[in-house]
């Protein structure tokens, strides 16, 4: 049976992935260009640290929004990245101003204060083991387009070793 194929990516994401070659370390992957390709303000990866809350391990050097929001979640004990890791399911809130205050009663007001308008978190796992989350933030509200959603899935599967079988396949040169 042939291996499943990744969905088609946008030209910008294709160019970004092609510059990286096969399975680079996260340090070689420019988070700011990844965010741009996905139509986001910033992207982060937080990894589970045993029984503790996930810790931020990857972001763009100049990313203030993502680092502040991940830090808030770690400190407050609630938020989209934590929900994504705890439940192993994507968390999409395309308009934080319209998100019910009961979802994250402490985190949500703080997130809005930072200027965040939308958040999208995708689980990183091997089988049933939740390893972390790939989270994107945007300063304006609005859903991901279908293409942006597909690009996020391809990115996490192809270039994040914790994302599953597609990440372990080698790309042809």
């Amino acid at each position: 049976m042939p291996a499943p194929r990744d969905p088609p990516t946008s030209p910008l994401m294709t160019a970004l992935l092609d510059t990286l070659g096969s399975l680079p370390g996260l340090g070689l992957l420019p988070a700011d260009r990844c965010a741009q390709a996905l139509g986001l303000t910033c992207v982060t990866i937080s990894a589970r640290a045993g029984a503790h809350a996930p810790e931020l391990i990857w972001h763009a050097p100049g990313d203030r929004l993502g680092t502040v929001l991940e830090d808030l979640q770690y400190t407050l004990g609630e938020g989209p990245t934590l929900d994504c890791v705890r439940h192993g399911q994507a968390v999409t809130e395309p308009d934080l101003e319209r998100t019910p205050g009961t979802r994250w009663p402490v985190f949500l007001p703080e997130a809005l204060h930072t200027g965040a308008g939308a958040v999208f978190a995708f689980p990183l796992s091997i089988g049933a083991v939740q390893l972390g989350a790939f989270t994107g933030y945007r300063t304006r509200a609005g859903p991901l387009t279908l293409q942006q959603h597909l690009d996020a899935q391809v990115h996490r599967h192809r270039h994040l070793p914790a994302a599953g079988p597609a990440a372990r396949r080698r790309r042809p040169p």
Side-chain angles (χ1 to χ4, degrees):
M1 175 177 219
R5 298 187 57 77
D6 291 326
T9 59
S10 66
L12 184 57
M13 182 57 83
T14 298
L16 177 61
L17 295 175
D18 286 347
T19 64
L20 298 172
S22 60
L23 298 180
L26 281 175
L28 299 177
L29 187 62
D32 52 348
R33 289 190 57 211
C34 180
Q36 178 188 10
L38 296 171
L40 299 168
T41 305
C42 58
V43 292
T44 63
I45 293 178
S46 292
R48 178 174 240 153
H52 304 290
E55 293 186 34
L56 181 63
I57 63 167
W58 179 78
H59 60 89
D63 173 12
R64 173 134 168 75
L65 180 65
T67 57
V68 166
L69 290 169
E70 292 297 311
D71 223 20
L72 277 170
Q73 292 177 77
Y74 185 84
T75 303
L76 301 174
E78 65 180 35
T81 298
L82 297 180
D83 284 357
C84 181
V85 172
R86 285 180 186 141
H87 305 293
Q89 296 178 349
V91 173
T92 60
E93 286 294 344
D95 189 345
L96 289 176
E97 295 235 355
R98 293 179 177 260
T99 300
T102 54
R103 176 135 197 203
W104 304 303
V106 182
F107 171 78
L108 187 58
E110 295 293 328
L112 290 169
H113 184 70
T114 69
V119 61
F120 310 93
F122 301 95
L124 301 176
S125 60
I126 297 175
V129 179
Q130 299 305 315
L131 300 175
F134 171 68
T135 305
Y137 299 97
R138 191 185 290 145
T139 53
R140 63 177 173 75
L144 292 175
T145 65
L146 176 59
Q147 187 62 60
Q148 290 166 337
H149 184 78
L150 291 172
D151 284 353
Q153 297 303 317
V154 169
H155 166 66
R156 81 181 179 106
H157 284 294
R158 190 180 295 173
H159 285 93
L160 304 176
R168 291 188 287 276
R169 286 197 318 263
R170 295 197 51 89
R171 291 180 50 208

